[in-house]
């Protein structure tokens, strides 16, 4: 149905592609998605499809919690409600018995806010964490972090159209939709 699959032309492919093509997320990964709008929800779907275990959604709008859960989110954080600095809070959430350092294997910025882009990088696991910038910042905006964040092994990368190849990847995503592997219909709130 063209009125549904047209969304694959941008939002679906960008979000899912950032996970599958750009980050190459593997099963069992821990991930954090900053911003649960149209792109963020599709990043969640991509993470579920890739087999991520812990999928944390971060948004200042509590209405996004139910949406996130519908698309694969396992935990929700509203930065305005935690009462402390966001990055250490997220790093603590991702700690486990064998891993007392904490930090996500993958983070995704879907906000376009340069402060959030920095938080996403710094919430990555040192040694191997990858942070993918998807959100488009205002013209002339710049991102900054301490070099220590990168020298300790984190990777900061960007993506356009989720790194998808239009002729081969878009038909594959259409197939996933037709097979019920991904959802599009619930995202269309009105026509």
């Amino acid at each position: 149905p063209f009125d549904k699959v047209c969304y694959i032309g941008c939002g679906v492919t960008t979000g899912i592609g950032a996970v599958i093509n750009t980050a190459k997320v593997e099963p069992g990964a821990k991930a954090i998605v900053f911003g649960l709008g149209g792109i963020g929800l599709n990043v969640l779907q991509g993470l579920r499809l890739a087999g991520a275990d812990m999928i944390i959604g971060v948004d200042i709008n509590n209405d996004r919690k139910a949406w996130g859960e519908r698309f694969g989110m396992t935990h929700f954080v509203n930065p305005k409600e935690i009462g402390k600095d966001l990055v250490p809070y997220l790093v603590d959430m991702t700690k486990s018995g064998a891993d007392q350092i904490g930090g996500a294997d993958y983070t995704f910025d879907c906000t376009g806010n340069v402060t959030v882009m920095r938080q996403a990088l710094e919430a990555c696991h040192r040694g191997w964490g990858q942070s993918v910038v998807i959100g488009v910042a205002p013209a002339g905006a710049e991102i900054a972090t301490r070099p220590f964040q990168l020298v300790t092994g984190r990777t900061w990368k960007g993506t356009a159209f989720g790194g998808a190849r239009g002729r081969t990847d878009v038909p594959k995503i259409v197939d996933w939709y037709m097979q019920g592997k991904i959802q599009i219909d619930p995202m269309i709130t009105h026509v």
Side-chain angles (χ1 to χ4, degrees):
F2 290 139
D3 62 335
K4 306 287 191 297
V5 296
C6 62
Y7 192 33
I8 292 173
C10 183
V12 175
T13 304
T14 300
I16 292 175
V19 173
I20 307 288
N21 302 321
T22 305
K24 296 177 177 44
V25 174
E26 71 284 339
K30 295 177 184 176
I32 306 172
V33 181
F34 294 79
L36 302 178
I39 300 293
L41 294 177
N42 282 294
V43 171
L44 294 176
Q45 285 203 96
L47 289 165
R48 185 184 66 211
L49 208 57
D53 276 353
M54 179 182 237
I55 304 172
I56 303 170
V58 178
D59 203 293
I60 58 174
N61 180 349
N62 284 330
D63 294 342
R64 302 279 172 89
K65 182 177 189 285
W67 278 96
E69 289 168 344
R70 187 174 194 171
F71 289 94
M73 181 183 74
T74 61
H75 301 74
F76 178 77
V77 175
N78 182 333
K80 292 184 171 186
E81 295 179 350
I82 60 172
K84 55 176 134 174
D85 193 20
L86 179 62
V87 171
Y89 183 85
L90 293 170
V91 169
D92 282 344
M93 279 183 78
T94 58
K95 287 181 181 175
S96 62
D99 178 13
Q100 286 305 304
I101 294 173
D105 302 306
Y106 302 95
T107 63
F108 299 85
D109 164 69
C110 307
T111 68
N113 178 318
V114 294
T115 302
V116 176
M117 291 174 189
R118 178 179 182 157
Q119 291 171 327
L121 175 73
E122 295 179 0
C124 275
H125 202 292
R126 74 174 182 237
W128 63 79
Q130 285 187 45
S131 186
V132 180
V133 176
I134 306 169
V136 178
E142 295 183 0
I143 52 177
T145 193
R146 296 176 325 234
F148 179 80
Q149 295 295 329
L150 298 170
V151 189
T152 49
R154 292 171 186 85
T155 304
W156 219 349
K157 36 169 70 167
T159 188
F161 196 49
R165 293 170 187 84
R167 289 178 187 240
T168 55
D169 292 342
V170 171
K172 180 170 54 180
I173 293 173
V174 171
D175 289 343
W176 291 345
Y177 167 68
M178 297 305 290
Q179 295 161 3
K181 290 182 179 178
I182 61 169
Q183 302 177 66
I184 295 176
D185 300 36
M187 290 185 210
I188 300 170
T189 56
H190 57 280
V191 177

